[in-house]
Amino acid sequence: MGIPVKLEVFEGPLDLLLHLIDKNKIDIYDIPIVEITNQYMDYIRQMQKEDLNVMSEFLVMAATLLDIKCRMLLPKEVTEEGEEVDPRQELVEQLLQYKMYKYMAYELKDRQVDSDQILYKAPTIPEKVAEYVEPVDLDVLLDGLTLRKLNRIFHEVMKRQTDKIDPVRSKFGKIEKEEVSLSDKFDHIHEYMKEHQRFSFRQLLQEQHSKMHIVVTFLAVLEMMKLGEIRVEQEENCGEIMIERTGYINENREASGSD
């Protein structure tokens, strides 16, 4: 009396092969075709009474496995590029594709189960909001719009912006008024001469911040020479300009203040 064996139900030959690969913990990219073929054939022999259409699918896969098994025993084929042809490659691609679809089916089934637990409420939108109509129909506005047309419109807008720029005036710098007066420079030089009896014109210009300050300082020095407040000496051409204060500073300042 034979011992009844309960066989697992598989959806097809690829499902059976994936089961055998997972059961034996085999790398799907390196299938031991002899071992898998033997286990597959054992399962086929145990299938005694099944639908003939279903059995035909398993028998076709069995023939494919036997063909791959025979090709593995023969010398390896080489492509025109010199690469070896693996007889298992097509089967591996079918298994990977089937495995992807199988997992996608599981994911969709889980989502279906989750959707059964979601409840929806009837819409409660106010009538005024429901009756609102957008002033511009975007579908009509964007009808026939393509990336090429959008790119052309963009360049036209940018060109109009560029045409608005004056090619001459746009290169002008910003003119700022610099507040510096001759009287301020007089006061500055007088304060400087309180601590320096004799100094060079170069030393006087060290604290000036711009060309305008230098020019006004030079004018102030000329004016003070005219008033006799300072004496200026230069020993040689392009030499250092030395400035020395005189005793007429206070008198001239009082006279200029009274004027």
Side-chain angles (χ1 to χ4, degrees):
M1 180 178 180
I3 300 176
V5 179
K6 183 178 180 181
L7 300 178
E8 297 185 28
V9 179
F10 299 98
E11 297 180 358
L14 292 176
D15 195 24
L16 174 57
L17 286 178
L18 284 178
H19 169 73
L20 296 176
I21 290 173
D22 294 339
K23 179 181 178 181
N24 294 276
K25 297 181 180 179
I26 296 172
D27 183 5
I28 195 171
Y29 294 99
D30 188 17
I31 301 174
I33 198 67
V34 176
E35 180 180 353
I36 289 297
T37 302
N38 294 335
Q39 294 184 15
Y40 186 89
M41 295 304 297
D42 290 339
Y43 181 86
I44 294 296
R45 294 188 188 97
Q46 295 174 13
M47 298 175 66
Q48 297 179 357
K49 295 181 180 180
E50 294 290 344
D51 186 1
L52 186 59
N53 294 328
V54 176
M55 279 296 298
S56 62
E57 296 179 4
F58 285 89
L59 292 176
V60 170
M61 180 57 68
T64 303
L65 292 174
L66 292 174
D67 178 65
I68 296 175
K69 181 179 178 180
C70 294
R71 292 170 60 188
M72 294 287 290
L73 299 175
L74 297 174
K76 295 183 179 179
E77 300 179 8
V78 181
T79 61
E80 296 179 356
E81 291 78 11
E83 298 180 355
E84 295 183 354
V85 178
D86 190 348
R88 303 169 296 180
Q89 181 63 33
E90 184 177 356
L91 177 62
V92 170
E93 294 177 357
Q94 293 180 1
L95 288 171
L96 290 175
Q97 188 175 13
Y98 177 78
K99 188 175 184 179
M100 179 184 66
Y101 286 124
K102 186 176 181 180
Y103 286 162
M104 290 175 60
Y106 289 156
E107 180 67 21
L108 293 175
K109 184 177 180 180
D110 293 338
R111 293 192 179 188
Q112 181 181 4
V113 174
D114 295 338
S115 63
D116 293 338
Q117 302 175 0
I118 299 176
L119 300 177
Y120 297 90
K121 62 182 291 292
T124 56
I125 302 176
E127 294 182 0
K128 293 183 178 180
V129 176
E131 295 174 356
Y132 173 78
V133 179
E134 295 184 358
V136 179
D137 190 351
L138 295 180
D139 294 334
V140 177
L141 181 64
L142 301 178
D143 184 28
L145 184 63
T146 61
L147 290 177
R148 180 175 297 179
K149 292 182 180 179
L150 190 62
N151 183 55
R152 188 184 70 252
I153 294 172
F154 171 77
H155 285 290
E156 291 177 355
V157 173
M158 297 303 297
K159 186 177 183 301
R160 286 199 295 267
Q161 294 294 329
T162 305
D163 294 341
K164 293 180 181 179
I165 301 176
D166 191 328
V168 178
R169 296 183 180 182
S170 62
K171 298 181 180 179
F172 290 167
K174 185 178 181 181
I175 301 177
E176 297 181 357
K177 183 179 179 181
E178 190 170 11
E179 298 294 338
V180 54
S181 63
L182 191 60
S183 60
D184 293 338
K185 290 303 175 184
F186 277 141
D187 295 337
H188 172 72
I189 297 175
H190 288 149
E191 291 295 329
Y192 188 82
M193 288 192 301
K194 288 181 180 179
E195 300 179 358
H196 304 81
Q197 175 68 29
R198 182 180 173 83
F199 53 91
S200 66
F201 185 66
R202 187 186 304 274
Q203 293 175 339
L204 186 62
L205 297 179
Q206 289 180 352
E207 300 181 359
Q208 310 308 317
H209 305 292
S210 65
K211 293 182 180 180
M212 183 58 66
H213 282 267
I214 295 175
V215 172
V216 178
T217 301
F218 180 72
L219 295 176
V221 170
L222 294 178
E223 186 67 21
M224 293 175 71
M225 288 174 57
K226 179 180 177 182
L227 296 175
E229 296 183 355
I230 58 175
R231 286 194 297 268
V232 178
E233 297 178 355
Q234 188 178 30
E235 296 182 357
E236 58 185 5
N237 291 336
C238 300
E240 195 74 38
I241 300 175
M242 300 303 300
I243 301 174
E244 184 178 2
R245 66 181 181 179
T246 65
Y248 299 98
I249 298 178
N250 295 332
E251 296 177 3
N252 291 332
R253 294 186 66 182
E254 291 176 1
S256 61
S258 61
D259 292 341

